[in-house]
Amino acid sequence: MDALDLLRRYADIPNTTRRYDASENVPILGVVPDGWLEAVVDADGVIERASNELCVIVSLKDALRRRETHRGEPRWHIPDLGRLKVPENLRALHTEVAARWGIIDLLEFLKESDFVTDFTDAFTTVATREATPREVIRKRLLLVLYALGTNVGIKRVTDGGRHGETEAAPQPDRLRRKTV
């Protein structure tokens, strides 16, 4: 907190002032990581202001994540609520949307979009030749886009699907030979 007080005192001082006043007590321990010490403190022991302020901000971010940023009693408290009950109006909204438009499967949507626009043809190889048939590449691209779009991951999509692809299939042959 002393480091934050120092930042507050220097907030109105222009950035052209590159070092702290010699009379300032600049907290280093617990604020500046060992790897940054050379960037913050020069050979003469003078503290570089911009580097130190960056370390203070990073330390504050880490302390906020650990919820260690209070003096005495915390000013606010975020209780651990666990799993919250879904509100009834939200359930009613989901039901109404499903009744009006049905459930759209993202993978089916991607397949239909590709059927109409052929957008997977925009994906080209960087290799000198393409040995895999274009329909196989199209299927693999759609699976990868689905895995990334849903944040499920390629492994889960390939393990859980009935499409005949493995996780290693989208990788180039030369990479598969090295790992096998």
Side-chain angles (χ1 to χ4, degrees), residues 10 14 39-40 42 55 58-59 78 96 112 128 130 150 153:
Y10 275 77
V40 174
D42 68 5
C55 289
V58 170
S59 295
I78 301 172
E96 185 63 28
E112 282 295 317
T128 55
E130 193 172 279
T150 57

Side-chain angles (χ1 to χ4, degrees), residues 61-79:
K61 177 191 70 145
D62 293 340
L64 283 169
R65 286 188 176 158
R66 293 187 307 266
R67 297 183 184 178
E68 296 177 352
T69 57
H70 58 82
R71 293 181 181 177
E73 288 296 314
R75 289 174 41 187
W76 60 83
H77 174 70
I78 301 172

Side-chain angles (χ1 to χ4, degrees), residues 112-134:
E112 282 295 317
S113 298
D114 186 52
F115 179 72
V116 172
T117 64
D118 288 327
F119 74 89
T120 54
D121 289 339
F123 293 88
T124 58
T125 181
V126 294
T128 55
R129 63 185 181 89
E130 193 172 279
T132 309
R134 192 68 198 164

